Amino acid sequence: MGQNLQSTRSGARLRPVDLARAHGLSTQAVRNYEEAGILPAAARTPHGYRTYTPLHAAALRAFLALVPAHGHRTATAIMCAVNRGESDEAFRLIDESHAQLLDDRRTLQAVERALRDLDPAAAPTPSPRPAPVTAPAPLPADGPGGAFIGSLAQALGIRPATLRTWERAGLVRPRRDPLTGYRVYDEADVRDARLTRQLRRGGYLLEQIAPLIAQVREAGGLEPLEGALCGWRARLSGRGRAMLAGAAELDAYHRQLASS
């Protein structure tokens, strides 16, 4: 592979198999990328065989670096825009990906803050010097099974109607007392209500909160969610690094294309 990679950076004409082997791909994949507009159109020999150049190799390197940063569809759209000479459109697509990554980071930070407010030991801290937190005051229990809607709403500083709205959205799932028909919020319901309140205070919509509550339930509580949050943060960091690598390869290709 070293010789193949070296040849793609030289001025030699390249066969599809040369370009494919240098990047661990099949020749069909290379042809597919050309047909999709990811690579510039290849020249043809008198017998109809494709021939590629170092410019095609640079385009392929750029695309393969963009995929882990932006996803296959967006990476394809970026390369097609560049090859059409529509650089501003390519930059817009890149900006949108960066904005999405920033939004994802803010969501993660909001969840971490909310979990720290619920239980300082439940969530990893994003910085070595986190802001001091205090444990929430215990909520009143109306009976051995949990709290009723009025006392829970009062303790959370919200209206009972708000809790009913959250219930319709699936964010809390109180059971009904068989004798009175009253809603009874157990420990898990109180946890979900507290987390919902914190995220709502952070400006998140109910439909945005629902999948986060589902993650807490699937993890079995707040503490087991720590691993999921660490993995989430690692994926965001990986995307950020991939965006740097993709930008470097795309810039190199863009410069080469402009001078060709």
Side-chain angles (χ1 to χ4, degrees), residues 107-117 123-126 229 233:
T107 299
L108 173 60
Q109 290 167 355
V111 173
E112 288 176 330
R113 284 195 301 268
L115 294 185
R116 284 202 307 272
D117 289 341
T125 55
L229 292 178
R233 190 185 307 108

Side-chain angles (χ1 to χ4, degrees), residues 104 107-112 115 170-171 173 191-192 195-196 199 207-233 235:
D104 290 346
T107 299
L108 173 60
Q109 290 167 355
V111 173
E112 288 176 330
L115 294 185
L171 304 179
R173 299 183 297 192
R191 174 202 68 202
D192 295 345
L195 180 54
T196 298
L199 292 170
E207 55 265 31
Q208 295 172 311
I209 297 171
L212 303 177
I213 296 294
Q215 281 189 325
V216 173
R217 290 171 180 159
E218 290 172 7
L222 298 176
E223 187 172 353
L225 194 61
E226 178 176 348
L229 292 178
C230 288
W232 187 357
R233 190 185 307 108
R235 288 192 296 273

Side-chain angles (χ1 to χ4, degrees), residues 5-6 11 17 28 55 85 87 89 110 118 163 174 176 188 197 219 226 237:
L5 185 58
Q6 206 170 40
V17 67
Q28 185 59 51
L55 180 67
S87 297
E89 172 62 12
L118 296 178
L163 278 173
R176 293 280 185 162
R197 183 196 63 171
E226 178 176 348
S237 296

Side-chain angles (χ1 to χ4, degrees), residues 62-108:
F63 173 70
L64 295 177
L66 289 170
V67 169
H70 304 279
H72 193 280
R73 178 178 297 181
T74 300
T76 298
I78 291 169
M79 292 302 299
C80 289
V82 169
N83 290 330
R84 293 194 304 266
E86 300 173 1
S87 297
D88 285 344
E89 172 62 12
F91 298 152
R92 183 191 67 79
L93 292 166
I94 293 170
D95 290 344
E96 284 187 350
S97 279
H98 279 280
Q100 181 62 59
L101 178 59
L102 179 59
D103 187 58
D104 290 346
R105 286 191 185 281
R106 287 172 173 164
T107 299
L108 173 60

Side-chain angles (χ1 to χ4, degrees), residues 156-210:
L156 293 176
I158 59 177
R159 295 178 298 128
T162 300
L163 278 173
R164 288 192 287 269
T165 298
W166 294 354
E167 181 182 349
R168 288 193 295 272
L171 304 179
V172 290
R173 299 183 297 192
R175 63 179 179 86
R176 293 280 185 162
D177 184 281
L179 297 178
T180 65
Y182 293 160
R183 292 173 173 84
V184 180
Y185 296 82
D186 62 16
E187 185 177 346
D189 295 319
V190 171
R191 174 202 68 202
D192 295 345
R194 277 176 162 164
L195 180 54
T196 298
R197 183 196 63 171
Q198 296 291 17
L199 292 170
R200 287 292 291 142
R201 289 172 64 182
Y204 288 85
L205 303 176
L206 298 185
E207 55 265 31
Q208 295 172 311
I209 297 171

